[in-house]
Amino acid sequence: MGFDEKLRWYGFWAKDRLEGGTVRKYYDEVKESYRRGTSIAKTDEKIRKLIAHAVRTTEFYKDYSEDTPLEEMPVMNKDIYRQNYEACQSGVYKEANDNRIMYTSGSTGTPFAMIQNKNKILHNTAASIFLGTAGGYYIGMKEAFIRMWVGDHAKKSRLARIAENLIMMDCSNLDDRKLAEMLYVIQKKKVKCLIGYANALGEISQFIERHQLDMSDFCVRSILPISESMPSEIRRQLERQFNCTVKSWYSNEENGIMGIQKEEDESYYIDSESYYYEILKLDSDEPAEPGELGRIVITDLYNYAIPLIRYDNGDLAVAERKEKNGRFKLYLKELYGRRGDMIYDCKGRIVSPFVLLNGLSMAKGIKQYRFIQEDVTKYTLWLNGNKDEIDEKAILDFISPYFGEEAEITVEYVDEIPVLNSGKRKSFENRCEKYKKK
């Protein structure tokens, strides 16, 4: 790190020490959990305390016993929280002036506001710092954050940007002129870390590839994709282009950064010091079998303002839990996107998005795409790119076997794939009424 970067790093910890050292304490705990595993006994204690707090201080949980086991608590989702928003808030923290409100993107419906108490904020800060260092990013490094900066609550002041050494880059428009401007700023400002939506970083990578740009003068040392799955081929392409590590964060607005991708494969380490994960079956609230694809259900161990207990965030995963000497580590060996956007073959089986992501992302001539399931056997593939370069037959030959002989796949060429309200560009969309009810 340069002098100004070291100044920010050590300055942050000096400030924290003057304020009691809480962030450093939590940082060390998350780091120790990453190294040795999380204590099973301490996790059980955190869960018991959280449930007891929810029962004592919220209207929603008041009829439960304080010693109710976690598996007997109701599974929640955004709709349930919206419908019971006031009842789910803890009376102890409801009017606290040091709370923070985090907003989801609202890309698939009404934006969701999540209240976080001060201790949750501090713990989230600590975990974010550690999971940043695990990905090669340190406080103070020159950073470009590529996302759609929706609303005043998302934007940072000039003073905050200077303090964080941050450049805000908007990805609502990613045509070639905008991509060239982004790369110019990244090079000129000697940016060392790129954080942003996976699809935006993917478009930057494909722009570099199309124009065969020389990246040897760039200073990027770390790339951290967020929000969506990044195709493994694009990930490795970015690593070659910038000669640095690319590790996706697993995160959402309502919880924070919850995990980081391993260097050697596509799986994710989950911060089990901060969150307790259950993987439940797709069609019931029973635990999924080892190796079975299931719903991610999160218990946030530090948010007491709105206790997030058994929160089904809509994502799917295959998990692996490793236990040793009273400690455990949790890995998501496969992480899929929103359940409502999963694509099914003609027999009703989920098709791995990674198959389509890798096949489509690396096809020559494609700038953007979206794969849409219209009905049980009907699909549409939107393509934006150079029609003369795109080998449509090769793409269909690659895709079709995953859907079955009855599959009807129509290719449509479009000038632009529209972004969502959040600025993200959805790769998959399921419009089939049968699966929208799942």
Side-chain angles (χ1 to χ4, degrees):
M1 289 192 291
F3 176 76
D4 63 325
E5 294 171 337
K6 288 182 179 178
L7 192 63
R8 286 179 171 89
W9 174 263
Y10 290 114
F12 175 86
W13 292 119
K15 179 175 179 291
D16 176 61
R17 188 163 57 248
L18 291 172
E19 294 173 350
T22 305
V23 175
R24 186 73 205 199
K25 172 180 174 289
Y26 287 150
Y27 175 91
D28 289 340
E29 290 174 354
V30 174
K31 182 178 180 180
E32 180 71 358
S33 179
Y34 181 83
R35 188 175 70 86
R36 297 180 56 218
T38 302
S39 167
I40 295 173
K42 287 185 178 178
T43 300
D44 290 342
E45 182 182 353
K46 288 179 186 178
I47 292 171
R48 287 196 300 272
K49 287 182 177 179
L50 180 66
I51 291 173
H53 164 79
V55 171
R56 288 196 305 267
T57 69
T58 72
E59 284 293 311
F60 187 86
Y61 292 107
K62 67 179 182 179
D63 293 330
Y64 288 85
S65 169
E66 291 187 20
D67 58 0
T68 303
L70 180 65
E71 60 270 19
E72 294 180 15
M73 299 294 282
V75 175
M76 308 286 281
N77 57 38
K78 284 183 184 178
D79 286 338
I80 296 173
Y81 281 117
R82 286 192 188 104
Q83 293 163 14
N84 300 276
Y85 192 66
E86 293 289 329
C88 286
Q89 295 179 40
S90 168
V92 174
Y93 294 95
K94 199 166 188 176
E95 304 300 329
N97 57 17
D98 54 2
N99 284 342
R100 175 176 71 182
I101 300 178
M102 301 298 293
Y103 296 89
T104 61
S105 61
S107 58
T108 56
T110 307
F112 178 47
M114 175 52 59
I115 304 172
Q116 297 177 345
N117 55 290
K118 181 65 173 178
N119 198 45
K120 162 65 181 177
I121 298 167
L122 295 174
H123 198 278
N124 192 61
T125 299
S128 300
I129 294 170
F130 175 74
L131 292 172
T133 64
Y137 167 70
Y138 297 84
I139 293 173
M141 285 176 66
K142 175 64 77 172
E143 165 200 349
F145 199 161
I146 304 166
R147 59 168 289 177
M148 186 169 175
W149 296 90
V150 183
D152 293 337
H153 63 269
K155 296 178 181 178
K156 293 179 180 285
S157 67
R158 184 172 182 273
L159 186 62
R161 296 198 303 271
I162 292 172
E164 296 177 25
N165 216 0
L166 169 70
I167 299 172
M168 292 166 50
M169 288 188 169
D170 188 84
C171 66
S172 54
N173 171 25
L174 288 176
D175 59 21
D176 280 6
R177 182 184 63 81
K178 183 64 176 178
L179 291 168
E181 287 177 1
M182 282 183 170
L183 286 170
Y184 174 76
V185 172
I186 290 167
Q187 182 182 35
K188 182 180 180 181
K189 297 294 185 180
K190 301 186 185 303
V191 171
K192 291 187 177 179
C193 179
L194 301 180
I195 300 175
Y197 296 154
N199 64 55
L201 291 168
E203 294 201 28
I204 289 173
S205 179
Q206 293 296 65
F207 178 84
I208 293 169
E209 196 71 11
R210 285 197 304 274
H211 296 278
Q212 293 296 296
L213 301 182
D214 179 10
M215 310 303 292
S216 58
D217 288 339
F218 283 68
C219 298
V220 176
R221 298 291 178 266
S222 171
I223 300 176
L224 297 164
I226 60 172
S227 294
E228 310 102 351
S229 296
M230 171 171 279
S232 58
E233 292 299 327
I234 293 292
R235 178 189 179 192
R236 301 309 176 188
Q237 181 172 276
L238 274 168
E239 289 180 335
R240 292 193 299 271
Q241 290 166 338
F242 287 96
N243 191 29
C244 72
T245 299
V246 179
K247 292 183 179 181
S248 292
W249 271 334
Y250 180 47
S251 63
N252 60 33
E253 296 289 354
E254 54 267 34
N255 294 109
I257 301 169
M258 298 179 286
I260 189 166
Q261 206 166 30
K262 294 169 66 178
E263 187 167 355
E264 62 272 21
D265 59 35
E266 305 305 308
S267 64
Y268 288 76
Y269 165 82
I270 293 301
D271 172 20
S272 47
E273 185 69 28
S274 309
Y275 306 95
Y276 184 78
Y277 271 41
E278 298 172 84
I279 307 297
L280 303 184
K281 289 183 178 293
L282 296 179
D283 54 1
S284 76
D285 291 340
E286 298 299 314
E289 300 297 328
E292 180 184 6
L293 179 67
R295 295 143 50 215
I296 295 176
V297 174
I298 304 165
T299 295
D300 189 324
L301 300 173
Y302 284 86
N303 194 358
Y304 275 49
I306 294 184
L308 279 175
I309 300 172
R310 307 195 84 193
Y311 168 50
D312 184 340
N313 75 338
D315 289 345
L316 305 179
V318 175
E320 179 183 33
R321 176 170 162 142
K322 297 181 178 179
E323 296 186 12
K324 185 178 180 180
N325 299 328
R327 292 179 172 269
F328 76 99
K329 290 185 179 183
L330 183 72
Y331 299 95
L332 301 184
K333 299 182 70 176
E334 298 176 29
L335 175 60
Y336 296 171
R338 298 295 174 185
R339 188 181 185 194
D341 294 327
M342 297 307 296
I343 302 296
Y344 297 78
D345 69 10
C346 295
K347 302 296 185 185
R349 297 167 299 203
I350 290 175
V351 177
S352 169
F354 298 109
V355 168
L356 300 174
L357 282 169
N358 286 326
L360 292 169
S361 297
M362 302 306 293
K364 190 175 181 181
I366 296 178
K367 290 178 62 179
Q368 302 160 345
Y369 62 87
R370 181 178 296 174
F371 192 86
I372 304 165
Q373 181 157 18
E374 308 282 4
D375 205 339
V376 176
T377 61
K378 290 184 171 63
Y379 309 85
T380 302
L381 174 59
W382 285 353
L383 295 177
N384 171 24
N386 187 337
K387 193 172 181 178
D388 294 331
E389 283 188 274
I390 296 172
D391 189 340
E392 185 178 314
K393 182 179 183 303
I395 291 171
L396 291 176
D397 286 346
F398 174 82
I399 290 173
S400 296
Y402 293 98
F403 293 91
E405 294 180 0
E406 299 175 18
E408 300 175 33
I409 304 175
T410 303
V411 177
E412 295 181 1
Y413 290 88
V414 297
D415 293 331
E416 182 72 17
I417 305 293
V419 297
L420 306 173
N421 293 334
S422 63
K424 304 171 192 175
R425 185 172 280 109
K426 185 185 291 189
S427 299
F428 307 106
E429 181 181 357
N430 199 319
R431 299 176 179 175
C432 178
E433 289 299 323
K434 176 180 178 180
Y435 299 123
K436 284 170 70 174
K437 296 174 184 177
K438 281 184 174 282

